[in-house]
Amino acid sequence: MTQAAFFVLTALADQPRHGYGILREVGELSDGAVQLRVGTLYGVLDRLTADGLIALDREEVHDGRLRRYYRVTEEGIGALDAEAERMAAGADAAKQRIAEGRKAPGPAVNPAPHPSAGPGPGPGLAGGLA
Amino acid sequence: MTTLLEARYRTVLRLLPAYYRRAREEEMVEVYLWDVDQDTQDQSRPTLGEVVSIAALAVRSRLAAAGAPRPYALLGSAVRHFALFAVLLQAATAVVERVLGLTWSSTHGSRQWDMFLSGFTGRGPLWTVVGIAEWVLPLLWTVGFFALVHDRRRLARAAVVLAALPTLWPLVGPLVSDWAVSDPWFAVANALFAWLPALALCAAFHRDAPPAALPFGAPGMVYAACCVVMGASLVLLPAMADSAWAPGTCFVLGALAWLLLRARRPDRSPDCGAVALAALGLLLLAVRVAAVYPWLGVLPAAFVGGALAQAAVLALLVVALAVVARRDLTAVSRGT
């Protein structure tokens, strides 16, 4: 699943939204890191619709303009859940590796001491080599 | 009332095919104009990023996959077949030419070897870089082909674009150096033969497109067969060997085999292979004619006769493939 598809599904997970609502929600969910263009959004919506992960919820007309609301399907919830599990497992594995690295001796995995942080748990550059 | 900004967005959206605009245009305009102040709408324009994203969507929806309206699905299928067949041909050509060239140079004495090396040295650093790039980069056609059939699309795109780069040198070189191209028509035809497949691959194998699949045979076997046919055509008839001879011969035999297998196949559901092969044949015919034209009356009659005979066979084959393609498309339009 692409990053854009993941965020679009996440944006629709709690309630149906229209195109602009999805764009805004994706921006907020990603802290502004993912800014979808309209062309990209509709490419993603086409793909998710074709895969049965989202569906048209309703259509409304406001000031003479069409507004379509999309909702995530049961299959879409399943796919999003699986993707979230996969990402969480990856994040857990990364955290575990980082923790193991910090416990293990050796200069390669020791974090560089920040000047304002004071003495760290391992030897600093001067203390370790002197 | 329609504002200038709305009119501008609608102009950009005209890049999209009609079926897509019918389904989406009003909704997309609503998204574009959602939070734009009514008073500033006449001073605003669609950004370059928005135009590019719509252009990309237009390419994807025109070179569509199954599920889209039939003309667009057929166009997408034809362009994908064209890209696959052409990249296969380019891949085998590049490998065979280099293997045979290297073998010949390294087994026919020091003079041949020196001649081979002189293609890279002795003319300054620019020509050394160009010589190495022209020798090495086309090998990436093979990377592109196998990446494509294994559905590694990004790698395939990068490989074929890099592989096609050297064909630009004869067009760009005269602008940046004092070198003059001796045969501009061949340079143009050769660049088209490289860039049309590369661009077709980049455009048609988008995220929604189905994976590439050859109509028959495993990719490795088909690739090896193409290499053997091309190598044999050069070894058995060395008097004919110009840059169009081996791919032309391979295309003729491959297209005939495709027509034969198609005729014997019980399921003749059209897959746009004939359209793709006809287009590729036409492109090869242009390369063939451009390659032989400057040598008419210069080189021995056997060479010119062989090249013209190959051109005639290519032309006949293109006509036959076009007839088959027309029948296929007629059958599809009738829904059979």
Side-chain angles (χ1 to χ4, degrees):
Chain A
M1 185 182 290
T2 63
Q3 187 189 44
F6 173 78
F7 277 112
V8 168
L9 279 178
T10 307
L12 295 174
D14 59 342
Q15 64 178 74
R17 292 180 200 279
H18 50 73
Y20 184 78
I22 298 171
L23 285 184
R24 195 177 50 194
E25 196 68 12
V26 167
E28 286 178 12
L29 283 167
S30 64
D31 285 333
V34 179
Q35 297 288 341
L36 294 181
R37 305 273 183 200
V38 174
T40 312
L41 169 70
Y42 279 91
V44 174
L45 290 178
D46 290 340
R47 201 174 310 128
L48 293 176
T49 306
D51 292 345
L53 302 185
I54 64 169
L56 183 65
D57 187 70
R58 64 184 188 277
E59 292 181 346
E60 293 176 1
V61 177
H62 288 262
D63 299 330
R65 290 218 182 89
L66 180 66
R67 203 174 286 174
R68 280 198 180 115
Y69 287 77
Y70 298 89
R71 63 178 165 77
V72 68
T73 61
E74 281 303 314
E75 203 177 332
I77 290 289
L80 179 62
D81 195 35
E83 184 68 6
E85 289 285 342
R86 191 188 66 79
M87 291 168 79
D92 285 346
K95 281 182 182 172
Q96 194 178 341
R97 287 290 173 95
I98 291 168
E100 285 170 4
R102 281 184 177 149
K103 281 181 202 164
V109 292
N110 282 333
H114 192 274
S116 63
L125 184 63
L129 297 178
Chain B
M1 190 185 77
T2 303
T3 62
L4 199 52
L5 181 62
E6 180 178 339
R8 284 168 175 161
Y9 274 124
R10 287 189 189 276
T11 303
V12 173
L13 292 175
R14 291 186 72 80
L15 288 170
L16 297 165
Y19 83 92
Y20 201 92
R21 285 207 312 277
R22 273 196 301 276
R24 295 283 203 197
E25 182 170 349
E26 296 307 317
E27 184 186 357
M28 293 171 91
V29 168
E30 163 73 356
V31 175
Y32 276 127
L33 300 179
W34 181 282
D35 64 349
V36 182
D37 190 346
Q38 185 83 23
D39 298 333
T40 62
Q41 286 201 8
D42 284 349
Q43 285 83 49
S44 303
R45 288 175 183 277
T47 64
L48 181 63
E50 284 163 347
V51 175
V52 169
S53 81
I54 291 298
L57 183 61
V59 170
R60 283 202 301 274
S61 49
R62 283 179 196 278
L63 302 176
R70 195 171 277 165
Y72 297 103
L74 286 175
L75 180 63
S77 172
V79 175
R80 281 186 284 278
H81 276 90
F82 169 79
L84 179 62
F85 296 151
V87 169
L88 168 64
L89 211 54
Q90 288 277 14
T93 305
V95 165
V96 167
E97 279 182 354
R98 278 148 190 78
V99 168
L100 289 183
L102 205 56
T103 306
W104 172 266
S105 303
S106 59
T107 56
H108 284 74
S110 59
R111 195 171 166 208
Q112 288 296 332
W113 184 246
D114 290 342
M115 275 183 68
F116 172 74
L117 291 180
S118 70
F120 307 101
T121 57
R123 289 185 295 166
L126 174 66
W127 285 96
T128 300
V129 171
V130 169
I132 292 171
E134 284 184 331
W135 205 89
V136 173
L137 288 182
L139 294 171
L140 290 172
W141 285 111
T142 296
V143 176
F145 172 70
F146 283 102
L148 186 61
V149 294
H150 288 97
D151 213 19
R152 302 278 302 275
R153 298 181 190 198
R154 266 190 201 177
L155 177 60
R157 283 189 207 116
V160 299
V161 166
L162 284 173
L165 273 181
T167 61
L168 290 181
W169 176 246
L171 307 176
V172 176
L175 305 176
V176 297
S177 70
D178 55 359
W179 174 55
V181 183
S182 58
D183 187 1
W185 288 112
F186 177 71
V188 170
N190 202 37
L192 286 175
F193 183 41
W195 281 100
L196 287 180
L199 294 177
L201 188 153
C202 292
F205 283 98
H206 48 77
R207 200 173 286 151
D208 301 329
L214 288 166
F216 49 82
M221 290 295 291
V222 175
Y223 173 80
C226 287
C227 289
V228 169
V229 167
M230 286 191 195
S233 77
L234 292 172
V235 171
L236 297 177
L237 293 167
M240 304 297 171
D242 67 354
S243 57
W245 177 255
T249 305
C250 185
F251 174 82
V252 167
L253 293 177
L256 285 173
W258 183 86
L259 285 169
L260 199 66
L261 286 170
R262 185 181 176 281
R264 294 178 65 176
R265 198 173 58 186
D267 165 32
R268 290 195 198 171
S269 55
D271 56 4
C272 293
V275 182
L277 283 173
L280 181 56
L282 204 57
L283 199 53
L284 264 171
L285 184 59
V287 175
R288 171 71 281 171
V289 171
V292 74
Y293 183 73
W295 305 106
L296 293 175
V298 178
L299 286 179
F303 169 82
V304 174
L308 290 179
Q310 192 185 48
V313 172
L314 275 171
L316 283 173
L317 207 47
V318 167
V319 171
L321 287 163
V323 170
V324 173
R326 186 180 164 79
R327 279 188 194 158
D328 280 356
L329 294 177
T330 307
V332 169
S333 65
R334 285 180 185 157
T336 56

